[in-house]
Amino acid sequence: MRTGSRRLATAAAALTLTIAATLGAAVPANATGKLGTRSLAAVLAADGDKFDRNWNDYDILAQAVGAVLAAKPNSSVGVLADGKVALTAFLPSDRAFRSLAADLTGKWYRSEQELFTALATLLGIDTIEAVLLYHVVPGATITSKTALKSDGAKLATALPGASLTVDVLSKRYRLIRLIDADRTDADPWLNPWALDINRGNRQIGHGIFLVLRPLDI
């Protein structure tokens, strides 16, 4: 567990200006000209980003983004608040982070506040930043319709050198798995009831049941 955390921190430390350039790359004007510029950060904030008892929303994700930006104001994670930049983000629910913490610590936390504090202490800001960037696919607004036609596609993420593979299991039931870098744990699935969040804008999100892992932890 500690080794995995150190390796994630090393990946975060490797972030360079190349990330900023990649995240700033917009899709062609003819593809985004008709799309709005509301950011995913605004959508998450509108739903309320305070800790509560609903494990199916995205409070911990929103708090993690806020914590990274508070510690590192120039972090590339800030792109989630820039609605002019096209991107696709896979959004782990609070329950997904709870599963991650249980895997790392062997404990199921009873409150979101307690869970967030535990993860922040265990992983540290640099590691959390790396994990967040691994959930962002810059430069592309990928709707669920497009994703369902992309079986086997490899998606480059905002974490340098890290990618995801799309595994479409059922077009009819909209079942999509994301194959991450951790080969020893279950891969996240897209939530069929939380697809195309912020649809109609350059930034689009899809809920996922587990947290994506950029390496084997």
Side-chain angles (χ1 to χ4, degrees):
M1 178 177 68
R2 292 180 179 177
T3 299
S5 185
R6 286 197 299 269
R7 291 173 65 193
L8 278 174
T10 299
L15 298 177
T16 65
L17 292 178
T18 304
I19 307 175
T22 303
L23 290 171
V27 296
N30 60 356
T32 61
K34 295 182 180 180
L35 296 179
T37 56
R38 181 175 57 182
S39 71
L40 278 172
V43 173
L44 294 176
D47 185 47
D49 60 356
K50 302 298 182 182
F51 296 126
D52 54 32
R53 296 184 179 181
N54 178 12
W55 292 96
N56 296 315
D57 58 9
Y58 307 99
D59 302 325
I60 293 175
L61 174 62
Q63 291 287 335
V65 171
V68 168
L69 293 178
K72 305 173 71 173
N74 295 321
S75 170
S76 295
V77 169
V79 74
L80 291 167
D82 185 356
K84 295 180 181 179
V85 178
L87 60 81
T88 300
F90 299 107
L91 311 175
S93 65
D94 298 336
R95 194 178 303 278
F97 281 104
R98 192 183 192 195
S99 295
L100 174 65
D103 188 31
L104 295 177
T105 69
K107 178 179 178 180
W108 288 93
Y109 291 89
R110 300 182 62 182
S111 76
E112 293 180 359
Q113 175 69 74
E114 184 184 17
L115 169 59
F116 179 78
T117 300
L119 285 175
T121 301
L122 175 65
L123 299 178
I125 287 297
D126 288 343
T127 301
I128 291 175
E129 179 186 43
V131 171
L132 292 177
L133 289 174
Y134 191 55
H135 287 72
V136 176
V137 177
T141 306
I142 305 172
T143 64
S144 60
K145 182 178 180 180
T146 298
L148 287 168
K149 297 178 181 178
S150 305
D151 187 36
K154 182 169 288 189
L155 305 177
T157 73
L159 187 65
S163 63
L164 306 167
T165 301
V166 179
D167 183 18
V168 179
L169 299 173
S170 173
K171 291 183 179 180
R172 179 178 182 181
Y173 296 106
R174 302 194 300 172
L175 298 180
I176 303 173
R177 181 176 63 149
L178 298 175
I179 301 175
D180 62 19
D182 192 334
R183 296 294 182 257
T184 61
D185 282 279
D187 291 309
W189 291 47
L190 269 64
N191 182 349
W193 299 278
L195 300 176
D196 300 315
I197 296 169
N198 204 34
R199 187 184 183 114
N201 290 279
R202 296 184 184 187
Q203 295 192 351
I204 196 167
H206 306 291
I208 53 177
F209 291 120
L210 294 172
V211 176
L212 291 162
R213 303 180 184 204
L215 48 80
D216 187 349
I217 57 174

